[in-house]
Amino acid sequence: MYPSLTVKIVEKPTTLREYIATMGETILYAYDRRVVGVIVNDKRLWDSAKLKPGDKVVIYPIIVGG
């Protein structure tokens, strides 16, 4: 449910949502539930943002307390 810190480099043009979907069902589910954050080239982007080869995608768990 909580994927660890992941750093990937985009290899072919795609959207952010499609790229996350290629990483597996677990990460996509966590992304949809907002328990992981995603940063592309040190910026937060919309799901529909277009990624290009060489972009750095960082996926990190969001830790919350209560």
Side-chain angles (χ1 to χ4, degrees):
M1 176 82 165
Y2 297 100
S4 60
L5 177 68
T6 305
V7 179
K8 300 270 188 171
I9 303 297
V10 177
E11 295 178 8
K12 61 180 184 174
T14 186
T15 65
L16 179 58
R17 173 114 179 127
E18 290 169 348
Y19 188 72
I20 292 171
T22 65
M23 292 183 188
E25 191 173 303
T26 303
I27 292 179
L28 182 59
Y29 179 75
Y31 179 72
D32 286 342
R33 301 288 295 161
R34 304 285 187 223
V35 295
V36 294
V38 178
I39 295 178
V40 178
N41 298 331
D42 300 323
K43 296 179 186 172
R44 294 187 57 95
L45 300 176
W46 294 98
D47 289 349
S48 60
K50 296 190 186 307
L51 305 181
K52 55 188 181 288
D55 285 347
K56 182 175 83 170
V57 178
V58 178
I59 299 173
Y60 59 93
I62 296 175
I63 308 299
V64 296

